[in-house]
Amino acid sequence: MKDNGTSDKIKGNVNKVKGEIKDQIGNATDNKSLQAEGKLDKAKGHLQETAGKLKDGK
């Protein structure tokens, strides 16, 4: 079965949401480490989503 990029796009969106939650909780609790982890998760999510779009040719 051909991977059409949907899996990467879904994983990317999950990581972006997870990262946003960590970033906001880190911000609210002044936890710089958690905030940084959230930012990394968001960046990873953006990359995964882009990879999925490239696989789809969009």
Side-chain angles (χ1 to χ4, degrees), residues 5-6 8 10 13 15 23 28-29 31 34 42 44 48-49 53 57:
T6 302
D8 287 324
I10 291 169
N13 281 323
N15 276 318
D23 190 10
T29 60
N31 184 333
L34 187 60
K42 286 193 285 187
K44 179 182 174 184
Q48 285 174 314
E49 188 175 33
K53 288 178 181 177

Side-chain angles (χ1 to χ4, degrees), residues 4-22:
N4 62 1
T6 302
S7 175
D8 287 324
K9 287 190 272 185
I10 291 169
K11 287 177 189 175
N13 281 323
V14 168
N15 276 318
K16 287 193 310 187
V17 170
K18 181 175 71 170
E20 182 63 30
I21 291 168
K22 285 181 181 179

Side-chain angles (χ1 to χ4, degrees), residues 39-55:
K39 290 182 188 310
L40 285 173
D41 283 345
K42 286 193 285 187
K44 179 182 174 184
H46 284 293
L47 289 173
Q48 285 174 314
E49 188 175 33
T50 300
K53 288 178 181 177
L54 289 173
K55 285 181 183 178

Side-chain angles (χ1 to χ4, degrees), residues 26-40:
N27 188 39
T29 60
D30 200 30
N31 184 333
K32 301 296 182 194
S33 177
L34 187 60
Q35 212 174 356
E37 192 177 317
K39 290 182 188 310
L40 285 173

